Amino acid sequence: MRKLLLTSLTIFYCFVLSAQSVEVQADYNSAGDCVFSAYNNSKVPVFLHLKFGDLQNTSFSEPVPYVKQLTPGFNDLFTLLRYEGEDVPRFNYEIKMFRSNPLAKIDFDFPYLIPLQEGKTAMFFDVESIDGFWGQGKLSSWTAVGFRVEPGEDVIASRNGIVVEIVGAERKGDAASWYNTWTNAVTVLQPDGTLLCYHNLTVDEKSLKPGDKIYAGQILGQVIQGASDLVLLMYYTSLFSDDPKFIIPKFIHDDGKTDILNSSTPYVVTHPYEVRALEMTKKEQRQVLGKNLKSQ
């Protein structure tokens, strides 16, 4: 059997997702295996899709399609093991980056909180336009959720997630870095890999910034002056389509039911502790909900 003598050989691939650069690295070790890793230079998670077109002297043992969520900083990926007695692995592959999970598995019955103060009577309305959300392009189809509101009232997080974008009255910076083209908006990456955008609110960016984890029931901000509606848009970009996929979430309300809301029905806002705790660890439940958490 041949003895393989290799110094460490590194191949770098740098990909730019908007203004966020992701470096994918392939290192040959002394055994001839190829170790893949990635560095996410942004402050928020992104998703990597990697597809091999040709493999020699090795095999790819990860589930396919291969999609990996990259947290900020360094991320281990996988190792291509060299076949015994063969030369080092040779390969060609393609990489795409996504802001949402392109293989998102969605629980369509998940109970979202109505994003208004508990005890308030909420009026839902059918959103007729999302002009400005996707720039100049026309969406073939979309769905959105709207609530009648008053300026200055609190906007509440409907579900846990990580804040990925906060935009005030004016958009700044490289347009390629934007998650959408709305102003006065907060976009959150949810645990299932979908994005939820809250539109028509203002946020104290000293207390909330991209990369922060938020919890269901937490105050995100306040309705902007002059606004009479709050719009929520839940979506993701699929691996199999260039158009975003939009989802209508179901909300829990005062009678304990979780429904798609009806514009002809007033709903009393309720934020049950059991629902708020659904995606929290025990430590987070103690820290966020404290003594208010009912026994599970």
Side-chain angles (χ1 to χ4, degrees):
M1 182 173 64
R2 292 179 298 165
K3 185 176 181 180
L4 193 65
L5 296 176
L6 286 178
T7 56
S8 179
L9 176 62
T10 302
I11 304 172
F12 287 97
Y13 300 86
C14 186
F15 299 85
V16 177
L17 176 66
S18 66
Q20 305 161 351
S21 62
V22 173
E23 300 169 14
V24 176
Q25 182 173 326
D27 291 305
Y28 287 101
N29 61 23
S30 59
D33 305 324
C34 191
V35 181
F36 278 72
S37 59
Y39 199 91
N40 176 8
N41 293 296
S42 71
K43 297 179 180 180
V44 301
V46 294
F47 292 84
L48 165 71
H49 171 232
L50 187 149
K51 178 181 179 182
F52 284 103
D54 181 36
L55 283 174
Q56 299 177 30
N57 310 321
T58 188
S59 60
F60 185 55
S61 59
E62 300 292 322
V64 292
Y66 179 81
V67 172
K68 173 79 171 182
Q69 180 174 337
L70 304 181
T71 59
F74 178 81
N75 294 261
D76 283 313
L77 298 181
F78 54 84
T79 298
L80 295 179
L81 298 176
R82 177 181 65 90
Y83 287 153
E84 186 174 353
E86 299 294 334
D87 199 356
V88 297
R90 306 291 181 186
F91 45 82
N92 294 310
Y93 62 91
E94 298 176 355
I95 284 179
K96 290 182 69 175
M97 304 303 304
F98 296 84
R99 292 193 177 93
S100 54
N101 186 346
L103 298 176
K105 295 181 179 179
I106 300 160
D107 177 2
F108 291 96
D109 293 318
F110 185 88
Y112 282 75
L113 302 181
I114 294 176
L116 304 175
Q117 281 286 12
E118 194 166 21
K120 177 183 174 67
T121 298
M123 292 301 301
F124 172 81
F125 71 94
D126 296 318
V127 179
E128 296 181 356
S129 172
I130 56 169
D131 287 349
F133 176 77
W134 212 250
Q136 301 300 316
K138 294 293 185 180
L139 294 168
S140 57
S141 64
W142 55 268
T143 57
V145 175
F147 295 93
R148 298 299 181 193
V149 292
E150 296 179 0
E153 70 174 281
D154 289 337
V155 176
I156 310 299
S158 289
R159 185 178 181 179
N160 287 15
I162 297 173
V163 176
V164 291
E165 184 181 57
I166 299 174
V167 183
E170 179 183 359
R171 277 196 171 270
K172 302 176 182 179
D174 182 5
S177 69
W178 301 350
Y179 276 69
N180 54 71
T181 56
W182 269 346
T183 56
N184 297 307
V186 172
T187 302
V188 175
L189 176 65
Q190 303 187 114
D192 63 0
T194 59
L195 296 166
L196 183 61
C197 183
Y198 301 76
H199 183 226
N200 278 349
L201 72 162
T202 182
V203 173
D204 181 359
E205 295 187 37
K206 293 181 180 179
S207 59
L208 190 68
K209 60 186 183 299
D212 285 352
K213 185 170 184 178
I214 61 168
Y215 301 96
Q218 174 181 336
I219 297 176
L220 292 181
Q222 288 73 41
V223 177
I224 61 171
Q225 293 301 313
S228 60
D229 57 72
L230 173 70
V231 176
L232 274 61
L233 214 57
M234 179 176 164
Y235 67 103
Y236 73 104
T237 301
S238 170
L239 188 63
F240 310 105
S241 173
D242 293 332
D243 292 332
K245 304 291 186 181
F246 291 87
I247 303 106
I248 299 180
K250 291 183 177 180
F251 293 88
I252 188 165
H253 49 87
D254 53 306
D255 64 1
K257 293 183 179 180
T258 300
D259 299 309
I260 292 177
L261 301 185
N262 190 314
S263 59
S264 63
T265 304
Y267 299 93
V268 177
V269 179
T270 182
H271 298 162
Y273 297 123
E274 293 82 358
V275 173
R276 293 182 63 189
L278 278 176
E279 296 175 310
M280 294 184 188
T281 65
K282 293 297 184 182
K283 181 178 180 180
E284 289 170 337
Q285 290 174 16
R286 292 192 298 270
Q287 292 176 339
V288 178
L289 301 177
K291 297 180 180 179
N292 290 325
L293 178 62
K294 298 178 181 179
S295 60
Q296 300 294 306

